[in-house]
């Protein structure tokens, strides 16, 4: 993907989409995608998928929305517990209470460390 | 639509829980989304007096990473079925829809369209690299208009 020069995004009308800065690094997203695409492909034809330049851009925004939604839902659980600090359990509650986050159930129940650290 | 099928799905972040380097549960993992970025997004949607525990940030970091992996796996399957090698933005949107993430699919369709439009403009600008882009405004200027009238043209 061609790198944009500093001001080349100014005339495009879509600076934040095309040139960034993105909320999440595109290279890292692409790395995570390649691992999953490779795993899914291994079960089928064994060939790794290629990833178009626009796909990590879409995920950068989608993950931003996802993190925002999950955080807000976790915060609702925090408030219910009359606290001001979001804990791991609040995130777990948010996942359990949201049908479309079923795919995250394993993620939130793996950890069994007491959540005492705050920053 | 029932709960999503993920027969060959492997968790993107399955190794994270056993890593204890770097002070947190996730340590310095470059197979996860960076925790600094995740933390910043979380902070932005919460009220100023809210605090976020380190473990909460880490678990959301894993969830977001899993989100990418989960959707990508589905998109990859679709590409395989359609005999295509490259996962594009449309595949991501369709995968989100298949997995019941409809409002993400809708939001990303619009975002993707705007992104592609800006890419087209950028490509056109780059194609004119080194040459001036000429925009003819003579028709708009009244002095030219009156000249054409004198010459009998419209």
């Amino acid at each position: 993907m061609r790198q944009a020069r500093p001001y080349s995004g100014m005339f495009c009308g879509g600076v934040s989409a095309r040139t960034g800065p993105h909320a999440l690094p595109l290279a890292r997203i692409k790395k995570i995608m390649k691992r999953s695409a490779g795993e899914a492909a291994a079960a089928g034809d064994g060939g790794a998928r290629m990833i178009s330049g626009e796909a990590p851009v879409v995920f950068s925004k989608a993950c931003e929305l996802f993190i925002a939604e999950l955080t807000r839902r976790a915060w609702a659980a925090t408030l219910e517990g009359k606290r001001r600090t979001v804990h791991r359990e609040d995130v777990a509650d948010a996942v359990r209470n949201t049908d479309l986050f079923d795919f995250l159930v394993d993620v939130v129940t793996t950890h069994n460390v007491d959540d005492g650290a705050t920053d | 639509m029932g709960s999503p099928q993920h027969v060959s799905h492997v968790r993107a972040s399955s190794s994270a829980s056993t890593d204890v380097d770097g002070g947190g549960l996730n340590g310095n993992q470059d197979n996860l989304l960076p925790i600094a970025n995740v933390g910043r997004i979380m902070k932005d949607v919460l009220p100023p007096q809210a605090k976020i525990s380190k473990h909460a940030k880490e678990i959301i970091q894993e969830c977001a990473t899993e989100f990418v992996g989960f959707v990508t796996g589905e998109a990859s399957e679709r590409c395989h079925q359609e005999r295509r090698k490259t996962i594009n933005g449309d595949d991501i949107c369709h995968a989100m829809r298949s997995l019941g993430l409809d409002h993400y699919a809708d939001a990303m369709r619009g975002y993707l369209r705007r992104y592609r439009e800006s890419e087209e403009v950028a490509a056109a600008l780059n194609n004119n690299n080194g040459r001036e882009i000429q925009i003819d405004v003579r028709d708009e200027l009244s002095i030219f208009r009156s000249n054409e009238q004198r010459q009998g043209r419209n």
Side-chain angles (χ1 to χ4, degrees):
Chain A
M1 194 162 83
R2 188 181 354 209
Q3 285 302 112
R5 291 183 301 280
Y7 295 104
S8 62
M10 276 176 65
F11 307 108
C12 298
V15 173
S16 65
R18 186 172 177 268
T19 62
H22 297 285
L24 293 153
L26 301 184
R28 184 72 62 89
I29 290 171
K30 186 165 183 175
K31 198 170 187 176
I32 294 166
M33 287 183 72
K34 277 185 121 53
R35 208 173 58 235
S36 291
E39 283 162 354
D45 63 347
R49 296 275 168 252
M50 293 184 61
I51 297 169
S52 80
E54 63 186 15
V57 172
V58 172
F59 265 125
S60 182
K61 178 57 71 176
C63 285
E64 202 183 339
L65 299 180
F66 172 82
I67 291 167
E69 179 175 4
L70 188 50
T71 302
R72 281 198 206 96
R73 289 178 183 271
W75 175 246
T78 307
L79 290 177
E80 225 175 303
K82 302 206 193 321
R83 288 175 280 106
R84 291 299 168 120
T85 304
V86 181
H87 286 300
R88 179 187 61 81
E89 242 342 277
D90 298 324
V91 180
D93 281 353
V95 166
R96 281 191 287 263
N97 291 336
T98 311
D99 281 347
L100 58 92
F101 288 165
D102 274 354
F103 69 98
L104 295 170
V105 167
D106 285 345
V107 179
V108 301
T109 54
T110 297
H111 296 279
N112 49 18
V113 179
D114 262 284
D115 191 9
T118 310
D119 40 23
Chain B
M1 191 169 289
S3 60
Q5 302 283 344
H6 37 276
V7 175
S8 60
H9 176 62
V10 178
R11 267 191 53 205
S13 52
S14 56
S15 59
S17 57
T18 58
D19 186 276
V20 292
D21 291 338
L25 281 168
N26 292 340
N28 286 324
Q29 295 267 2
D30 62 354
N31 58 338
L32 295 174
L33 294 170
I35 197 159
N37 301 61
V38 171
R40 208 175 303 136
I41 297 167
M42 291 178 72
K43 205 159 173 292
D44 283 348
V45 303
L46 291 174
Q49 71 272 25
K51 285 184 161 58
I52 310 165
S53 86
K54 191 176 210 164
H55 290 174
K57 266 192 234 180
E58 286 173 342
I59 203 104
I60 291 199
Q61 176 193 28
E62 286 194 55
C63 287
T65 303
E66 185 60 25
F67 172 72
V68 174
F70 185 52
V71 174
T72 300
E74 177 74 15
S76 180
E77 275 298 308
R78 182 191 172 89
C79 282
H80 174 48
Q81 282 162 21
E82 297 183 3
R83 308 269 194 272
R84 284 184 292 112
K85 284 281 181 190
T86 306
I87 302 175
N88 63 29
D90 290 321
D91 296 322
I92 309 283
C93 294
H94 283 122
M96 285 172 173
R97 205 169 293 283
S98 300
L99 297 170
L101 301 162
D102 281 49
H103 58 297
Y104 286 93
D106 292 337
M108 289 305 103
R109 258 185 38 226
Y111 183 75
L112 183 57
R113 194 184 60 243
R114 288 197 303 279
Y115 172 74
R116 284 171 173 167
E117 283 166 11
S118 71
E119 281 286 280
E120 275 177 42
V121 173
L125 287 173
N126 281 329
N127 283 338
N128 276 312
N129 210 5
R131 289 182 281 129
E132 286 174 11
I133 297 172
Q134 304 211 345
I135 303 170
D136 190 349
V137 297
R138 283 178 293 173
D139 283 349
E140 312 301 314
L141 296 174
S142 56
I143 187 170
F144 286 100
R145 199 170 294 135
S146 58
N147 275 342
E148 286 163 6
Q149 280 167 359
R150 265 189 260 123
Q151 291 167 18
R153 288 169 60 190
N154 184 16

